[in-house]
């Protein structure tokens, strides 16, 4: 075979490619892959083939949630510092991460009821409801609920993270404060609200957004931010709905492993909203 034919049949290792990692950092070392890839511990005995899928699916989701929190915290800080443009860049990335979280439900949906029944007993009382990172995302976006802290009393670290977020302003709170600094008539009741409570619709604030939507070109940065927030809520609802669908097709109306009512509990979450004025204003746009 000619040298040209060999080159076409396989990719030749170039001379400049690093091959000795005795004194240099490798890909695996940088990503700490030994730790990451050894973190899957199936509990079934004998081990069930599909348990690895279930574990990896949820571990990957937790990694995406970690990145979501990183980006949302940064976006909140940037809005608080009146740096709207880089904050919008963070929110654009948040949306791409959310799409990954939505689409990965398709992988778990390949788990049939019979296959899941083989591994469900080994989950015991563990449940995605107990994800402190998911709860942190909800707190950052505005769905505050102090009662949820009780679920995390077993972990002082997780409890402390959530308690701190409960008492901090949400991303939306900081955006409304930004609007006030820019001269928009944000109601004092909104600016001075108790941030430990879930956000509630304020009709006077709808008027503020109505003026923005009536003249987008004059308020472009604010207008764009409003639509970015709506996109984020839309994707969050898609995630909730796909979760509901996958649970319905996998266990039907059985009780959840964590003790919830399962499908009924998940369905109620679809009624929650983070940014109510941004939806209420739509009936005012002509």
């Amino acid at each position: 075979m000619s040298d040209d034919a060999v080159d076409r049949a396989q990719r030749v290792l170039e001379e400049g490619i690093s091959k000795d990692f005795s004194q240099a950092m490798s890909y695996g070392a940088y990503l700490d892959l030994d730790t990451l890839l050894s973190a899957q511990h199936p509990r079934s005995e004998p081990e069930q083939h599909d348990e690895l899928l279930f574990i990896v699916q949820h571990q990957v989701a937790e990694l995406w949630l970690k990145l979501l929190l990183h980006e949302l915290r940064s976006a909140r800080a940037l809005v608080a510092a009146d740096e709207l443009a880089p904050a919008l860049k963070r929110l654009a990335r948040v949306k791409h991460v959310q799409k990954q979280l939505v689409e990965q439900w398709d992988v778990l949906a390949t788990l049939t009821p019979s296959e899941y029944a083989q591994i469900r007993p080994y989950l015991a009382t563990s449940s995605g409801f107990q994800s402190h990172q998911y709860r942190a995302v909800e707190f950052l976006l505005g769905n505050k609920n102090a009662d949820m802290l009780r679920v995390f009393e077993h972990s002082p670290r997780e409890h402390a993270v959530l308690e701190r977020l409960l008492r901090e302003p949400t991303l939306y709170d900081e955006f409304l404060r930004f609007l006030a600094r820019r001269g928009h008539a944000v109601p004092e009741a909104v600016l001075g609200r108790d941030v430990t409570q879930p956000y509630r619709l304020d009709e006077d604030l709808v008027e503020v957004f109505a003026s923005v939507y009536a003249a987008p070109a004059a308020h472009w940065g604010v207008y764009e931010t409003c639509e970015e927030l709506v996109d984020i809520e839309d994707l969050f609802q898609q995630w909730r709905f796909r979760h509901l669908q996958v649970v319905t097709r996998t266990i039907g109306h059985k009780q959840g492993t964590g003790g919830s009512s399962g499908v009924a509990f998940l369905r109620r979450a679809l009624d929650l909203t983070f940014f109510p004025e941004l939806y209420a204003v739509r009936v005012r746009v002509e």
Side-chain angles (χ1 to χ4, degrees):
M1 183 181 293
S2 68
D3 290 344
D4 287 345
V6 170
D7 287 344
R8 288 193 298 271
Q10 65 183 34
R11 184 164 57 171
V12 177
L13 194 64
E14 297 174 354
E15 285 299 319
I17 291 177
S18 299
K19 297 179 276 296
D20 182 3
F21 298 101
S22 57
Q23 302 296 322
M25 182 179 290
S26 69
Y27 172 82
Y30 177 73
L31 296 177
D32 198 6
L33 288 183
D34 283 347
T35 300
L36 184 65
L37 298 179
S38 62
Q40 295 74 46
H41 305 291
R43 305 300 178 98
S44 54
E45 184 63 43
E47 184 176 328
Q48 298 298 311
H49 174 82
D50 296 299
E51 191 175 4
L52 184 62
L53 160 63
F54 193 85
I55 292 171
V56 169
Q57 166 93 16
H58 289 82
Q59 288 183 339
V60 170
E62 289 295 330
L63 288 173
W64 283 129
L65 288 170
K66 182 174 183 175
L67 182 57
L68 269 186
L69 289 168
H70 178 67
E71 301 297 340
L72 287 170
R73 283 190 172 103
S74 177
R76 183 181 61 173
L78 287 165
V79 172
D82 292 335
E83 297 184 47
L84 196 60
L88 288 171
K89 179 64 168 64
R90 301 289 192 272
L91 298 183
R93 182 175 294 164
V94 163
K95 293 193 301 183
H96 284 290
V97 174
Q98 286 181 289
K99 289 175 183 176
Q100 296 298 315
L101 283 164
V102 171
E103 291 175 1
Q104 78 174 55
W105 284 119
D106 292 344
V107 183
L108 196 62
T110 65
L111 194 65
T112 68
S114 298
E115 291 165 344
Y116 181 59
Q118 297 300 311
I119 63 175
R120 193 178 194 225
Y122 299 96
L123 272 63
T125 56
S126 65
S127 166
F129 178 77
Q130 299 149 13
S131 167
H132 82 281
Q133 292 198 123
Y134 172 81
R135 197 61 52 199
V137 169
E138 286 219 332
F139 279 15
L140 265 168
L141 291 178
N143 184 23
K144 300 286 186 77
N145 186 342
D147 283 346
M148 292 294 179
L149 294 180
R150 294 161 54 197
V151 178
F152 303 94
E153 288 176 348
H154 67 284
S155 172
R157 181 184 64 82
E158 294 175 2
H159 188 276
V161 168
L162 290 173
E163 187 171 36
R164 185 166 58 251
L165 283 173
L166 181 73
R167 302 183 186 285
E168 291 176 351
T170 68
L171 173 63
Y172 195 45
D173 287 325
E174 290 295 1
F175 178 51
L176 298 179
R177 294 174 185 184
F178 169 85
L179 292 182
R181 292 193 297 272
R182 291 301 176 94
H184 294 273
V186 179
E188 284 299 325
V190 171
L191 296 174
R193 80 180 192 89
D194 181 354
V195 298
T196 67
Q197 299 300 308
Y199 188 84
R200 297 286 184 258
L201 173 73
D202 187 289
E203 292 292 349
D204 292 334
L205 184 56
V206 177
E207 295 294 328
V208 174
F209 286 120
S211 66
V212 170
Y213 277 78
H219 309 285
W220 188 258
V222 171
Y223 175 74
E224 184 181 6
T225 306
C226 290
E227 288 300 291
E228 287 289 303
L229 292 175
V230 170
D231 285 345
I232 287 171
E233 175 146 347
D234 189 350
L235 285 162
F236 206 96
Q237 289 288 44
Q238 289 182 44
W239 186 91
R240 284 171 170 160
F241 184 65
R242 284 296 291 131
H243 186 193
L244 172 65
Q245 284 182 309
V246 172
V247 170
T248 301
R249 69 181 287 165
T250 307
I251 66 167
H253 291 271
K254 292 178 182 176
Q255 186 180 48
T257 51
S260 76
S261 57
V263 167
F265 181 77
L266 296 175
R267 185 173 287 115
R268 287 196 294 275
L270 296 175
D271 293 329
L272 300 174
T273 182
F274 299 123
F275 320 120
E277 292 87 4
L278 299 183
Y279 286 90
V281 75
R282 275 148 168 76
V283 303
R284 303 285 303 279
V285 177
E286 297 180 354

